[in-house]
Amino acid sequence: MAAESGKIDPMHQFQVEPLFGQDWTVAGHSIAFTNSSLWMLITLVAVWLFMLGGMKRELVPGRWQAAVEGVTGFISNMMETNVGPAGRKFVPYVFSLFMFILFANMLGLLPVGIIPGVHPFTVTSHLTITAVLAIVSFGIVLAVGFAKHGLHFFSLFVPHGAPWWMLPILIPVEFVSFMVRPFSLALRLFVAMTAGHILLKVLAGFVINGLNAEAFWVAPVVSLPSLILMIGISALELLVAAIQAYVFALLTSLYLNDAINLH
Amino acid sequence: MPQIAQISEIFASQLFWLTISFGLIFFVVGLGMVPKIQGTVDARDARIAADLATAASARETADRLEAEHRAALDKSRSEAAAVAAEAKAAAAQATETRVKAADAAAGTRIEDAMRRIAEARLSAEAEVEAVAADAAAAMVARVAGLTVDEDAARAAVKQELVRG
């Protein structure tokens, strides 16, 4: 972490570095295997291993199976309440989204940095990733909306019971609020993850610089409170990791509800 | 900010590997595993619902059987009471007839005895008359030397006996 000069760069953790395959290209674009790719694959394997525990399919579930069934039941209940019976079709997609974001967020918080040379990487702290996920969700919403309602889907921009003379004002507002959805989806997750990690890294820098300080009183006054704050904020970050995954899935389900049932 | 500074450089790689990893999660986990797990949950819910229904119907049957049993018990109890009352009435009637018969038998015997007593008294009275008449005739013959004929003596005795 740029410790050469005693400086700690809180942004360094977001650096994407190619691990191998720098010369791999598809249609002229590099698809090098980076630390980001590695953590995506770790996320994939972790999700798959977790779900494997639910595949015993016993009548009386064990703890692991009950946990897996709890998560699937959580997502399918959410779709049921927000979208209705038609929402069941979208459970696989929303579930994948939720699990991918949740596991990526959680794995990025693993304290594997204590092993020299190993750095955790939070996939969802990258705008490219969150933007692609948001665009995919938004694209599904548009596709479902136009496939189900055709051009009638535009009535989404007409609020219920609004007087006709308000429509010239309301329709642009509704249109903007609709079009801003993918940005709000992508930016919310990206900002929440980035900000939390920067905060933790800044506090970690306080701890380390305080311990390295020449004046003996700096360590207890600076490092100890920073460490205590880090512990609390780490717990908070775990909560944020889960909440951001939930919010992404919840908003996707609400947008799908708009597309399926209009409003 | 590396996320923005690197964006043009890493975008293709990010997209490629995201497609692979998220695609695999979607196809393997989302489409492959989730429906099976949901199926297990649904099957368990259905099984529980069926078990509960079975239990409810079994309880209903038990309640019904108990009610039937209780009704049968009540019925047989009342029947037994009726039979007992009947038997008591019959026994009372039989006793009454037998008492009546015994009464009647005793009555006839008493009547018999009374009649025999009356007969005995009559015959005793007649004998007393005859003896008295004989004695009167004998006394008259001894005292007055008269021979009184038997009928006169008897009439006289009768007259005296009646007078007391």
Side-chain angles (χ1 to χ4, degrees):
Chain A
M1 251 145 276
E4 311 90 34
S5 60
K7 274 197 296 186
I8 286 174
D9 176 12
M11 301 310 286
H12 179 73
Q13 57 178 323
F14 303 117
Q15 195 81 38
V16 176
E17 284 151 357
L19 296 179
F20 53 84
Q22 280 94 325
D23 49 351
W24 295 351
T25 52
V26 167
H29 296 287
S30 163
I31 53 156
F33 190 83
T34 61
N35 52 350
S36 173
S37 319
L38 174 68
W39 284 89
M40 281 191 237
L41 292 188
I42 292 174
T43 305
L44 162 66
V45 171
V47 170
W48 180 70
L49 282 179
F50 174 70
M51 294 302 287
L52 216 54
M55 296 302 285
K56 276 178 283 184
R57 313 189 66 182
E58 283 166 0
L59 184 65
V60 178
R63 292 181 188 195
W64 196 342
Q65 192 186 343
V68 175
E69 284 171 3
V71 183
T72 58
F74 172 67
I75 295 295
S76 55
N77 274 347
M78 188 178 83
M79 297 306 282
E80 195 84 17
T81 39
N82 290 333
V83 184
R88 229 185 145 101
K89 277 206 299 286
F90 298 97
V91 167
Y93 173 69
V94 176
F95 183 80
S96 307
L97 204 57
F98 176 73
M99 290 303 268
F100 180 78
I101 294 170
L102 178 70
F103 273 66
N105 292 352
M106 292 287 193
L107 289 170
L109 287 168
L110 284 182
V112 292
I114 57 169
I115 304 165
V118 179
H119 302 296
F121 183 87
T122 310
V123 177
T124 45
S125 67
H126 268 257
L127 198 49
T128 39
I129 302 293
T130 59
V132 169
L133 291 177
I135 288 165
V136 170
S137 288
F138 192 66
I140 288 174
V141 168
L142 286 183
V144 168
F146 282 113
K148 203 168 164 66
H149 303 290
L151 292 180
H152 192 64
F153 183 51
F154 286 114
S155 71
L156 191 64
F157 303 137
V158 183
H160 250 319
W164 62 268
W165 49 267
M166 286 288 279
L167 293 185
I169 307 165
L170 287 176
I171 287 174
V173 168
E174 288 281 321
F175 180 72
V176 168
S177 86
F178 182 77
M179 292 312 285
V180 95
R181 285 172 176 184
F183 296 96
S184 79
L185 270 183
L187 284 172
R188 181 182 296 108
L189 180 57
F190 157 69
V191 166
M193 285 299 115
T194 304
H197 283 79
I198 291 175
L199 181 57
L200 282 177
K201 198 65 75 178
V202 168
L203 287 170
F206 286 176
V207 175
I208 291 163
N209 285 331
L211 289 173
N212 289 340
E214 278 165 32
F216 73 96
W217 56 266
V218 176
V221 172
V222 174
S223 296
L224 191 63
S226 298
L227 181 66
I228 292 168
L229 196 57
M230 264 189 88
I231 294 169
I233 290 186
S234 296
L236 206 62
E237 279 300 298
L238 286 173
L239 186 67
V240 169
I243 285 175
Q244 288 302 323
Y246 172 60
V247 165
F248 205 107
L250 178 71
L251 287 176
T252 303
S253 76
L254 291 177
Y255 299 161
L256 276 171
N257 177 46
D258 279 352
I260 292 166
N261 304 320
L262 291 178
H263 60 197
Chain B
M1 223 178 191
Q3 292 102 313
I4 292 166
Q6 287 187 308
I7 206 161
S8 59
E9 180 192 336
I10 62 170
F11 180 77
S13 156
Q14 295 275 59
L15 182 60
F16 178 77
W17 291 103
L18 177 65
T19 310
I20 289 181
S21 55
F22 186 71
L24 279 176
I25 287 182
F26 177 63
F27 284 108
V28 174
V29 171
L31 290 179
M33 289 168 146
V34 171
K36 284 185 190 147
I37 290 165
Q38 282 302 104
T40 312
V41 174
D42 290 348
R44 180 186 310 130
D45 289 352
R47 175 90 179 264
I48 289 169
D51 283 358
L52 284 178
T54 314
S57 81
R59 200 177 48 222
E60 213 166 274
T61 312
D63 284 352
R64 191 167 44 76
L65 285 177
E66 201 201 336
E68 274 171 15
H69 168 73
R70 195 164 285 162
L73 206 64
D74 286 354
K75 198 177 151 211
S76 50
R77 199 171 279 160
S78 70
E79 265 172 17
V83 167
E86 219 167 85
K88 206 179 271 176
Q93 203 168 359
T95 311
E96 207 178 317
T97 47
R98 271 169 61 193
V99 165
K100 214 175 263 175
D103 246 8
T108 47
R109 275 169 65 193
I110 289 168
E111 243 167 63
D112 242 20
M114 295 295 254
R115 203 182 58 244
R116 284 216 310 275
I117 289 166
E119 270 169 20
R121 185 188 282 152
L122 275 180
S123 69
E125 271 173 9
E127 243 159 85
V128 165
E129 255 178 48
V131 169
D134 277 354
M139 275 193 298
V140 169
R142 190 84 52 85
V143 171
L146 290 172
T147 311
V148 185
D149 101 301
E150 204 173 323
D151 287 342
R154 188 159 291 185
V157 166
K158 203 174 255 177
Q159 208 171 351
E160 283 304 312
L161 280 175
V162 167
R163 203 180 293 154

